[in-house]
Amino acid sequence: MHAAGGAAWSDPAITGRDRSIAVITALAAQGVSGDRLLTHLMLARRHGLDDQALTALMTLLAGYIGYPRASQAMETIHTTHAATSQDTPGQTA
């Protein structure tokens, strides 16, 4: 990831959470899904973005990037939720 963003990945002017929101927004706007989006969604979860925040982000973005792209990203969000729920037994979703 450092190759793509260089020093911006560690610049203290932007939090990890903010970085995740920006990258997920850019990827969703480009219609990127699959492993690339999945990787950033997992990182976003580590930065404190939960399903509620990611759903709210996609709802907001739908008006700007279009419903089909926001919906495609939302499918990946649901996939990561299912994967993380299975990885943490005993935790409620």
Side-chain angles (χ1 to χ4, degrees):
M1 284 196 237
H2 282 284
W9 284 107
S10 58
D11 189 326
I14 305 170
T15 67
R17 186 178 192 280
D18 293 342
R19 225 175 260 112
S20 288
I21 291 170
V23 172
I24 289 167
T25 298
L27 293 175
Q30 295 173 57
V32 174
S33 61
D35 288 343
R36 285 183 63 202
L37 182 57
L38 185 67
T39 298
H40 286 284
L41 288 169
M42 299 294 258
L43 187 58
R45 290 181 190 288
R46 283 189 246 141
H47 289 145
L49 290 164
D50 60 11
D51 286 332
Q52 185 177 0
L54 292 168
T55 298
L57 177 61
M58 287 309 121
T59 301
L60 173 68
L61 290 178
Y64 293 92
I65 67 174
Y67 180 79
R69 289 202 169 162
S71 178
Q72 181 180 18
M74 186 60 83
E75 288 178 23
T76 307
I77 289 167
H78 289 303
T79 300
T80 61
H81 172 74
T84 56
S85 293
Q86 290 173 0
D87 291 343
T88 53
Q91 185 178 19
T92 57

